[in-house]
Amino acid sequence: MDKKGVDILTLDVNKLIDMLNAALSEEWLAYYQYWIGAQLVEGPMRAEIEAELMEHATEELQHADRVAKRIIELDGTPVLNPSEWTKLSRCKYEAPSDPYVETVLDQNIRGERCAIQRYQEIAAYTDGKDYVTHTMATEILADEVEHEKDLNDFVVDINRLKKALKG
Ligand code: FE
Ligand code: FE
Ligand code: MG
């Protein structure tokens, strides 16, 4: 079907769909990294950190939902097989093989920085050319910036605690 909503776009739609499928793969990997991290995490402030990790997992899944729906609107096919996720993702999946809070937080901070870079690029590519994707990318970008801050706040507090304990 010819869609006015696709015709109006003054950019390479296939290139945009590739960027969105990479973002979709990264969201699913981020979801699992947060979710499995929340199951395993141990150390100071465990309950609070576990709750934050689980909240972020839910938010990554919501991002995946928005990105997949936009790919379909653009007449693209969202990545169909989980085996593609690690191939399409630019962000590294970091298994929480050491479940200590500091390690898990650092791993997820690196993931957030990668996500921030991704949505910055999608927002820049679509700026003035695809307002719908642009709006979505800037909204998700704001969430990823908040995620990075939330995790960083825990790192700051843990460092203060360590310093206080040293006397
Ligand atoms: Fe996300
Ligand atoms: Fe995030
Ligand atoms: Mg949060």
Side-chain angles (χ1 to χ4, degrees):
M1 189 187 75
D2 278 342
K3 283 186 189 155
K4 182 70 175 168
V6 177
D7 287 346
I8 51 169
L9 307 176
T10 53
L11 46 67
D12 181 342
V13 176
N14 288 324
K15 185 182 164 183
L16 176 60
I17 289 167
D18 286 347
M19 292 167 95
L20 292 171
N21 261 320
L24 177 59
S25 302
E26 287 158 2
E27 292 293 358
W28 273 102
L29 292 172
Y31 167 75
Y32 192 72
Q33 191 175 310
Y34 269 123
W35 182 87
I36 196 68
Q39 310 299 324
L40 295 165
V41 72
E42 47 186 67
M45 298 186 282
R46 179 200 296 219
E48 279 169 82
I49 292 172
E50 181 191 323
E52 191 74 43
L53 297 175
M54 205 44 104
E55 190 178 289
H56 287 194
T58 304
E59 287 163 357
E60 307 307 4
L61 208 47
Q62 288 164 356
H63 296 162
D65 187 271
R66 291 187 72 178
V67 172
K69 285 185 165 69
R70 184 59 185 150
I71 291 169
I72 293 164
E73 249 174 16
L74 293 168
D75 292 329
T77 305
V79 57
L80 296 176
N81 196 321
S83 67
E84 296 291 307
W85 291 342
T86 49
K87 288 177 221 161
L88 296 179
S89 173
R90 204 167 54 185
C91 312
K92 207 166 132 241
Y93 175 79
E94 299 199 45
S97 40
D98 170 9
Y100 188 61
V101 282
E102 286 187 292
T103 312
V104 172
L105 288 169
D106 284 348
Q107 289 176 325
N108 284 306
I109 286 171
R110 283 192 287 274
E112 291 301 341
R113 289 179 179 157
C114 183
I116 288 167
Q117 185 63 41
R118 168 68 66 198
Y119 289 104
Q120 174 71 23
E121 287 175 19
I122 294 174
Y125 188 61
T126 53
D127 194 11
K129 296 174 179 147
D130 172 351
Y131 294 99
V132 177
T133 305
H134 183 75
T135 301
M136 179 190 77
T138 56
E139 287 170 1
I140 297 177
L141 176 60
D143 287 348
E144 310 299 15
V145 168
E146 186 185 310
H147 287 172
E148 182 193 35
K149 186 205 179 282
D150 290 345
L151 301 180
N152 194 58
D153 284 350
F154 281 117
V155 171
V156 168
D157 291 352
I158 289 167
N159 286 336
R160 287 186 74 107
L161 179 68
K162 281 169 36 179
K163 220 175 144 190
L165 288 171
K166 260 191 238 160

